[in-house]
Amino acid sequence: MKVLKRFPVRLSDRPDHELVGVIRMPELTVSPLRSILKRIIGAMLALLATVLIVYLDRDGYRDANGDGLTFLDSLYYATVSLSTTGYGDIAPATPSARLVNVLVITPLRVLFLIVLVGTTLEVLTERSRQAFKIQKWRTKVRDHTVVVGFGTKGRSAVNALLGDENVEPDHIVVVDTDQQALEAATSLGLVTVHGSATRADVLRVAGVQRARAVVVAPNRDDTAVLVTLTARELAPKSHIVASVREAENVHLLKQSGANQVVVSSETAGRLLGMATSTPLVVDMVEDLLTPESGLAIAERPVEPSEEGGSPRHLPDIVLGVVRDGVLYRVDAPQADAIEPGDKLLYIRKVTAAETIER
């Protein structure tokens, strides 16, 4: 007898409700005190509505004492009824009072109990809401940025995207295996995917095949190579930027499909060396790299009035000319004259007001 092997269902093929916990959508945070107050107010409103209904129809109820219902009796009956205690000393006697109990007070009793056990129901509701949001997000996500690794480098990359590039938080997806890192990303309003980006299924769930750009920033160079290979296979047209610790691994990343590679340890070491003799140069470089205030490197299209002129004669401090996707330094012969369609890399001033607006 031949035994058929059952292979696990791929992560990207699972239905959306099974991805709750893998994909996490950002939520508006509500303080616990406010949540408790809302539940208490809801319970009190249900109780008050029941008291008014019983008191207005008090002639239809029979009291064990036979002296009729007062407002306090109505409050007592509403309390024991909504809490499902029901001592039976006060009961509806007329058909109209019984009908009101069936159609009105019973739904209020259910509402009251829902408020009391709202924590459990809220968890279930939250899971359903997350499943719906995941389904909606997966059908619409396009031209987003996938950030693999939310360590020091990944967080700095996200800050640059949110600051300099003005990318909306819901257009950034963070992939990581560290739950604390993912919670930090969620607090920024980012969509997160829990899993190893070396797996193609995880990257598919993050929508990497429709991503505009992929930032590969893990802690290990071998992981960066494998992630880049997987991302390039899934997203042939995406712009992949990778970070490595050692310069000797740059060619591996480029062969794997990275468009640009940043050497983190070499860059940091160079700045450390410069800081020993020319610390002000390091301060200037850090000023250019931080988006908060001061100076920043930016890119802008060429204006019609600037075509044909030299970039060195412009009011802006131009560092280079981008032509057909190729960067030419301002001292290169190709950058002597500005051509239509060129873009300029220049230094612009960032004010505190711009930072506040962002």
Side-chain angles (χ1 to χ4, degrees):
M1 180 178 177
K2 188 177 181 179
V3 179
L4 296 178
K5 295 183 179 180
R6 295 184 61 187
F7 294 95
V9 179
R10 294 191 308 175
L11 192 65
S12 55
D13 294 335
R14 293 183 183 179
D16 295 319
H17 67 272
E18 291 187 10
L19 295 177
V20 176
V22 178
I23 301 178
R24 185 174 177 183
M25 307 299 295
E27 289 283 345
L28 295 176
T29 56
V30 180
S31 66
L33 179 60
R34 185 176 180 182
S35 179
I36 293 173
L37 287 177
K38 286 174 64 176
R39 293 181 184 179
I40 292 176
I41 292 173
M44 291 299 103
L45 289 176
L47 179 62
L48 179 61
T50 307
V51 172
L52 293 176
I53 291 171
V54 174
Y55 183 71
L56 292 175
D57 193 26
R58 57 188 178 277
D59 294 336
Y61 289 80
R62 183 177 63 241
D63 188 0
N65 298 327
D67 55 356
L69 264 66
T70 63
F71 185 80
L72 181 60
D73 293 332
S74 301
L75 178 61
Y76 165 75
Y77 173 76
T79 303
V80 298
S81 295
L82 293 185
S83 62
T84 68
T85 304
Y87 295 110
D89 48 351
I90 299 177
T94 63
S96 61
R98 291 174 178 172
L99 184 62
V100 169
N101 263 259
V102 172
L103 299 179
V104 180
I105 294 182
T106 297
L108 287 173
R109 181 184 298 118
V110 174
L111 176 62
F112 190 81
L113 292 176
I114 288 176
V115 172
L116 292 180
V117 296
T119 301
T120 303
L121 292 175
E122 184 178 350
V123 171
L124 297 176
T125 304
E126 174 63 20
R127 187 174 182 86
S128 300
R129 272 199 333 226
Q130 281 281 327
F132 176 75
K133 292 181 69 174
I134 288 172
Q135 180 183 16
K136 184 179 178 181
W137 174 78
R138 292 186 72 189
T139 57
K140 292 186 175 181
V141 62
R142 295 287 188 283
D143 297 328
H144 57 295
T145 300
V146 177
V147 178
V148 177
F150 202 64
T152 303
K153 293 178 289 186
R155 296 187 190 200
S156 298
V158 168
N159 290 335
L161 289 171
L162 296 176
D164 287 349
E165 304 300 328
N166 291 323
V167 177
E168 295 296 328
D170 59 354
H171 275 65
I172 300 176
V173 182
V174 172
V175 181
D176 206 317
T177 56
D178 187 353
Q179 192 60 46
Q180 290 185 346
L182 295 179
E183 290 176 359
T186 303
S187 66
L188 296 176
L190 311 179
V191 180
T192 63
V193 175
H194 183 270
S196 173
T198 57
R199 294 177 51 193
D201 266 0
V202 174
L203 290 180
R204 285 194 189 97
V205 169
V208 73
Q209 61 273 22
R210 298 182 298 274
R212 177 185 63 85
V214 181
V215 177
V216 182
N219 294 324
R220 293 169 55 98
D221 286 3
D222 53 350
T223 304
V225 172
L226 185 54
V227 171
T228 303
L229 277 170
T230 308
R232 179 53 72 200
E233 181 182 12
L234 297 175
K237 297 182 180 180
S238 295
H239 187 80
I240 299 179
V241 182
S243 170
V244 291
R245 300 173 64 88
E246 304 298 335
E248 61 186 16
N249 295 323
V250 170
H251 73 286
L252 295 176
L253 267 298
K254 291 189 175 181
Q255 290 177 359
S256 301
N259 297 98
Q260 288 179 299
V261 180
V262 177
V263 184
S264 58
S265 60
E266 186 173 287
T267 303
R270 186 173 179 82
L271 290 176
L272 288 173
M274 292 171 60
T276 60
S277 56
T278 55
L280 296 181
V281 174
V282 177
D283 290 341
M284 178 59 67
V285 173
E286 289 184 343
D287 188 14
L288 292 172
L289 294 177
T290 53
E292 286 76 14
S293 62
L295 302 176
I297 300 176
E299 181 183 273
R300 69 171 178 85
V302 172
E303 298 178 2
S305 60
E306 298 171 340
E307 296 175 2
S310 171
R312 292 186 288 271
H313 298 159
L314 297 178
D316 296 324
I317 302 176
V318 178
L319 301 177
V321 176
V322 180
R323 181 176 301 145
D324 298 327
V326 180
L327 173 62
Y328 300 103
R329 293 189 314 183
V330 71
D331 59 346
Q334 295 87 341
D336 285 341
I338 300 174
E339 298 180 3
D342 286 349
K343 294 182 180 180
L344 301 179
L345 290 184
Y346 72 106
I347 296 178
R348 69 179 180 91
K349 182 174 178 58
V350 180
T351 63
E354 287 183 75
T355 307
I356 294 174
E357 287 176 2
R358 289 171 185 164

